[in-house]
Amino acid sequence: MAFPYIRTMGTEVDAFLGQLARRLRPQVKTLAGLLLQRLNGELPELWENADIEALTLEETAQHVTALLDLLEARPGASAPEAPPAALDIARLYARRGIPVSRLLRAYRLGHLTLLEQLQAEAPRLTDDWHMINQATVRLVAIGFDYVDRSSEQVVAAYQEERDRLLRRRLALTDRASKRIGTTLDISRTAEELTEVCTEDFADFVTVDLFDSALDETGTGPSEALTQRRVAQRSVLDDCPESPLRVGGTHTYPDDSEPVRALTTGRSVLHHIAGTEMPPWVAPSEFHGRVLRDLGLHSVLLVPLHARGEILGLVQFVRHRTSAPFDDDDLLLAQEIASRAAVSIDNARRYTHERSTALALQRTLLPRNTVEHAAVETASRYLPAGSRAGVGGDWYDVIPLSGARVALVVGDVVGHGLRAAATMGRLRTAVRAFADIDLMPDELLTHLDDVVIRMQREESPDEGETSATCLYAVYDPVSRRCSLASAGHVPPTVVTPSEVSEALPEVPIGPPLGLGGLPFETAEFELPEDSLLVLHTDGLIAGRARDVDQGLATLHDVLTSAPDSLEEICDRLLDALLPGRPADDVALLVARARALDPDHVATMDLPSDPAAVSGARRFASDVLATWGLDDLSFTTELVVSELVTNAIRYGKSPIQLRLILQSTLTCEVSDASSTAPHLRRARIYDEGGRGLLLVAQCAERWGTRHGREGKVIWAEQALPADSASTAEVT
């Protein structure tokens, strides 16, 4: 008899629960409101976020309806799926970063509250306490089954959304690592940060930097609160969120959140409730209305840290995106800003070093077009436009004795400040060696020794110093050019009738710094008005072009070269470097001139002291022909001393040569390699005063050595009214 009773009792309990559910169904909204009041203290975020509050009210009503449906269903029916609003709010909790445990606690409290309401309503339907107790037991079992099943589905939805957010954040981090810092440009790096973060993270992003961080010299004033807007981007057109435009400066109010973030170096997550608009967010009433209309609700303030220094501040703002920033968003923003800060600091350091190196480079290179009677020149220097930065390319035009001129072009391996400084040392060394009139191969040998000594002075982590150099000497009297190359590309010669290929007879020696290998001097004649084009390899070589193609283009341009050397330089750069060069470029174009034969006078002398008087008369006659009688006395004195020295200490053949150019040059050559030098003559010495007299009469004097002897020369300035007679044809 027990089993039929139990079956009868179970049927009656199910019927009773169905009746109870039908009685409460009109009160679904009331029950949902009671549940929310119970949850008020447990879930404060319900009342802090209007969207969560509205969705939670809908979700609670759906839960109540679902449980009442379950009570009205046939016995043994399984718990239904969680309502759609429950899954939506689980995803919303995941996006807000609210722990899922708080949501599950709300389920338990809601279940308890609903059971209490059902128990309170049961006595109104029956006074059979045995029925009420049995119904309560069944109600608890059904309720727990429903809560368990719903919780599983809600947790799954929550975790799925968290995984999606994690994948999105990882994708954002990956994009940031690939797209931020692609150039060594501060403004572009800041722009890349704003572009990446306004795609699906923030609705408005600004990047402000201290002026001291933007100062290329690193010596500008540092105002603690003054910042410059270097980039900003919005999902809306024209960035209505900010009255400030890129390039403008501003300061934040004291004791504001941005100032605290900058002074402490700590990021800030700030939520804006209702119509509250702090002064640092909305500096004016009008701007405050704009932001309220946009619905701005949360801001992230992230300082830009790099190598122990705060460079500025990044602001991330949300208004169109309904979900406010959470702690996970703050961590993500900090990671992205950290990457950007390192890139900005690298760009800042690169810009500073590049500016310093470029200033040093420009200071060391000839500042103006060098004017020389032997050649007409034009030149260009272009720093590299890539990350490599300023290099060690240089060119030079050096006046030499005997109306000659040296043309130099060189390239230090490497880039940056060190390469520019090395270039300066080598250029100074070349000028010093040129001043003692070394032949091209001998000069490069000495320069090679200089580089080797520099290598020995370097620390192992600085890298090895190496360079290439081309040194050419042009003589307008003989129209001969002698040159030597230390690993450098040969020049291109353009005669008045044709363009020759890069000179095959020019032997290319090893680069500077190897040591122990010889350099060779090549000599050739340059017809009058010929062009000599010297350059570094950055002009003809590139990523998309090999050296042969570059040389072919260079020859094509020179085939129809205009008369203006400046225009020739421009055409070469336009044809060979349409964009910014990948390597720095030095270009030197020289047009050879020939000295009028009437401005050169020579006399062969026997090795006989009696020839000195004849040399003096020869010099006097030549000066009279040139209209330089005012220089006759000093010139005869100089000629007398130089010829006497050559006859006394030198070897035949001896020759006197007078050259009229921008100065008057007296040269005496002989076959001896022994060079004279100044010495102090004592009171009773009969000699030793000759070179001292020459040094007093001449502006410059010196000795140059050749393969078959030496030349002692002395230069005198021309009278002002006679300078026009020294013209080159």
Side-chain angles (χ1 to χ4, degrees), residues 197-209:
C197 292
T198 51
E199 289 181 355
D200 59 359
F201 180 71
D203 299 321
F204 178 59
V205 180
T206 68
V207 180
D208 297 329
L209 296 179

Side-chain angles (χ1 to χ4, degrees), residues 219-262:
T219 59
S222 176
E223 297 292 340
L225 301 180
T226 301
Q227 296 194 77
R228 185 175 300 276
R229 180 66 49 84
V230 293
Q232 64 182 16
R233 190 176 183 86
S234 171
V235 295
L236 305 175
D237 295 334
D238 298 327
C239 294
E241 300 91 339
S242 174
L244 192 67
R245 290 297 174 252
V246 173
T249 59
H250 68 103
T251 56
Y252 290 109
D254 294 338
D255 298 327
S256 64
E257 294 289 355
V259 171
R260 279 192 287 273
L262 289 169

